[in-house]
Amino acid sequence: MTVTAPSAETGTVSTPTVTAMLRRARFWAALALVLALGVAATLLVGSGSGEGRALGPANAAPGGAKALVEVLGRQGVDVTVTTTLGDTLDRLEAGDGTLLVDDASGFLVGDQWRRLATATSNLVLLSPGSAALDSVAPGVSTAAPVEDGTAAPACTSPALGQASRVDVAGVAYAVDAPGAVRCLPSDDGYGLVELDDGGTKVSVLGATGALTNGAIATDDDAAFALALLGGSSELTWYLPSAGDLPEGQGTLATLTPPWVTPSLAVLLLAGVAAMVWRGRRLGALVVERLPVTVKASETTEGRARLYERSGQRRHALDQLRIGTFGRLARTTGLSSTASVDEVVARVAALTSADPRGLRYVLVDADPADDRELVSLSDSLLDLEREVRRAVAPS
């Protein structure tokens, strides 16, 4: 069996060029760019100033409230954004003004809500949860979400004196509190509820859609927002954070920064895209018919030449011994799992040969050169012939 070198037409091997390497790496470059953009975007979403969050005072997206802050500023209202309870209370001590609280993550507890209510005379709550309602707006409870729509004020609140149609998208509240002012009615409840105990006026605003950038310029939403939040020259916009949680409280969801979930989503999508790309790159399996059939004798001869080239005479002789052991075991009636000692003992009994000489030929002999290898191979053949004669019927 002759081994020939590949011709120049079929065996050409070339070094990849820089262009080819860049072409193969373009997928990973695009993936890295997408991940970088995703991380940058999610970091913006997690900004503590409200940039990127729904109704965030620094969010310029349709769901943000940056336009409202600018409108208030043009009307002479100084808007200050705080992110901790301590900073908020310090700000309120410096001057009496309106306090707007957007606790979308539910960080504050009852005592903290009550401290806020006593620190200001005008408290506005954006879509508050049960903790806030139980603490500072008893008798008001969440009824149902409101997808869209507008409503007439239908109440005598000063905040709606100049408004005729207001966006009520957000949350509707049910009211069971004597003296409460119910405004912006919908099928499920009210979009604005006002309670005044003589010391602090609490406005529960569920119709938060009117404050967003996408709606502030439509209907009478701007007039409504100015009347609700522009009654004082100072507005404190409080966005509670995880640092406000009392010691020992908080869940994994509340303690996790807002940018973690979208970051994990981006990484998951990138991983799925990579698996799909890598899984499809080789295409479907194709069955190819071999051009030739290699005979067993050629394979044996090729392996023999490899043994010869590497000088592995002992290994070549062991391959012959393995075949001889199998044939001797079958010829003498032993099982295929018979040990070396069992085969040697059976063959010695049949041929009256010295067991030590048989073991030397079958196991221990180590040929020093090719001539001794051929001699030992012949000895194995002679031993097989002698065993066959011994077991043959006379």
Side-chain angles (χ1 to χ4, degrees), residues 206-289:
T208 54
L211 306 184
T212 62
N213 299 325
I216 193 70
T218 62
D219 299 316
D220 296 322
D221 293 343
F224 165 68
L226 286 173
L228 183 66
L229 302 175
S232 172
S233 61
E234 295 182 355
L235 172 65
T236 302
W237 197 310
Y238 176 31
L239 304 175
S241 60
D244 293 325
L245 282 169
E247 185 176 355
Q249 295 193 19
T251 63
L252 180 61
T254 58
L255 295 176
T256 301
W259 56 266
V260 170
T261 298
S263 296
L264 292 178
V266 170
L267 292 176
L268 178 61
L269 291 176
V272 171
M275 288 188 288
V276 172
W277 173 73
R278 295 292 293 181
R280 291 175 56 86
R281 69 186 183 91
L282 296 178
L285 295 177
V286 177
V287 179
E288 183 180 1
R289 187 183 298 277

Side-chain angles (χ1 to χ4, degrees), residues 148-196:
D148 52 26
T150 59
C155 70
T156 59
S157 171
L160 297 172
Q162 298 181 358
S164 59
R165 302 294 297 180
V166 177
D167 191 326
V168 295
V171 180
Y173 290 93
V175 184
D176 185 17
V181 178
R182 302 166 176 82
C183 305
L184 300 177
S186 64
D187 294 339
D188 299 302
Y190 298 91
L192 174 65
V193 180
E194 295 182 345
L195 301 96
D196 193 344

Side-chain angles (χ1 to χ4, degrees), residues 46-74:
S47 173
S49 64
E51 185 174 356
R53 64 178 285 169
L55 289 176
N59 185 2
K66 187 175 182 179
L68 172 60
V69 175
E70 294 179 354
V71 170
L72 291 171
R74 294 193 189 104

Side-chain angles (χ1 to χ4, degrees), residues 12-364:
T12 303
V13 178
S14 59
T15 302
T17 63
V18 175
T19 302
M21 294 175 64
L22 292 176
R23 188 180 300 112
R24 286 196 294 268
R26 60 187 176 185
F27 171 82
W28 296 109
L31 181 60
L33 178 61
V34 171
L35 289 176
L37 293 176
V39 170
T42 51
L43 287 176
L44 291 178
V45 171
S47 173
S49 64
E51 185 174 356
R53 64 178 285 169
L55 289 176
N59 185 2
K66 187 175 182 179
L68 172 60
V69 175
E70 294 179 354
V71 170
L72 291 171
R74 294 193 189 104
Q75 298 300 318
V77 179
D78 181 19
V79 180
T80 302
V81 179
T82 59
T83 56
T84 64
L85 180 62
D87 291 344
T88 303
L89 295 176
D90 292 341
R91 171 72 181 174
L92 295 174
E93 287 180 0
D96 190 17
T98 302
L99 172 62
L100 174 67
V101 183
D102 181 11
D103 188 18
S105 299
F107 290 127
L108 301 181
V109 296
D111 291 341
Q112 294 169 318
W113 282 112
R114 285 186 285 271
R115 291 177 63 187
L116 290 172
T118 57
T120 181
S121 60
N122 189 11
L123 175 62
V124 180
L125 310 179
L126 296 186
S127 300
S130 58
L133 295 175
D134 294 342
S135 301
V136 298
V140 182
S141 60
T142 303
V146 179
E147 296 297 333
D148 52 26
T150 59
C155 70
T156 59
S157 171
L160 297 172
Q162 298 181 358
S164 59
R165 302 294 297 180
V166 177
D167 191 326
V168 295
V171 180
Y173 290 93
V175 184
D176 185 17
V181 178
R182 302 166 176 82
C183 305
L184 300 177
S186 64
D187 294 339
D188 299 302
Y190 298 91
L192 174 65
V193 180
E194 295 182 345
L195 301 96
D196 193 344
D197 60 1
T200 301
K201 176 185 175 183
V202 178
S203 300
V204 178
L205 178 61
T208 54
L211 306 184
T212 62
N213 299 325
I216 193 70
T218 62
D219 299 316
D220 296 322
D221 293 343
F224 165 68
L226 286 173
L228 183 66
L229 302 175
S232 172
S233 61
E234 295 182 355
L235 172 65
T236 302
W237 197 310
Y238 176 31
L239 304 175
S241 60
D244 293 325
L245 282 169
E247 185 176 355
Q249 295 193 19
T251 63
L252 180 61
T254 58
L255 295 176
T256 301
W259 56 266
V260 170
T261 298
S263 296
L264 292 178
V266 170
L267 292 176
L268 178 61
L269 291 176
V272 171
M275 288 188 288
V276 172
W277 173 73
R278 295 292 293 181
R280 291 175 56 86
R281 69 186 183 91
L282 296 178
L285 295 177
V286 177
V287 179
E288 183 180 1
R289 187 183 298 277
L290 292 176
V292 295
T293 301
V294 181
K295 297 180 180 179
S297 59
E298 294 184 7
T299 303
T300 303
E301 183 179 354
R303 293 177 63 184
R305 288 180 177 176
L306 290 175
Y307 292 148
E308 180 184 10
R309 186 178 305 170
S310 59
Q312 297 293 325
R313 300 182 184 87
R314 177 63 181 262
H315 187 72
L317 182 59
D318 286 340
Q319 300 303 310
L320 297 176
R321 286 166 171 166
I322 292 173
T324 299
F325 266 110
R327 290 187 291 272
L328 289 176
R330 289 192 298 272
T331 302
T332 57
L334 296 173
S335 66
S336 59
T337 59
S339 64
V340 173
D341 293 334
E342 291 175 338
V343 174
V344 170
R346 179 64 63 87
V347 171
L350 291 173
T351 61
S352 301
D354 184 2
R356 289 175 297 178
L358 292 176
R359 187 175 183 87
Y360 176 80
V361 174
L362 292 172
V363 179
D364 300 332

